[in-house]
Amino acid sequence: MGETLRKLGIRLAETRSTALFQLATELPAAVLARTLGIDITVAVTWQRAAAGDSGACAAEVSRRSRQGRRCAPCSR
């Protein structure tokens, strides 16, 4: 499925980050962690990142993903 999406021009890492940022702005950290099966500290990190300067943060995530690195909220 991932290969099919890539062929369609959908970048999985950026799409995942965008979805997580959106969820982090709408859900409490405990709910986010439980729903996604991630550690509460990761959910809190995502919330803090989503609450900050989203333009700068999005640029940083984009820059890192092009270099093959993950942003802190993605790391588990």
Side-chain angles (χ1 to χ4, degrees), residues 18-65:
T18 300
L20 286 172
F21 272 116
Q22 184 63 36
L23 285 172
T25 63
E26 296 179 8
L27 298 174
V31 174
L32 184 64
R34 189 176 306 126
T35 302
L36 298 179
I38 60 176
D39 190 85
I40 187 71
T41 58
V42 175
V44 169
T45 302
W46 271 102
Q47 282 194 319
R48 288 183 182 151
D53 179 0
S54 60
C57 188
E60 178 68 13
V61 169
S62 177
R63 182 184 65 77
R64 288 181 181 179
S65 65

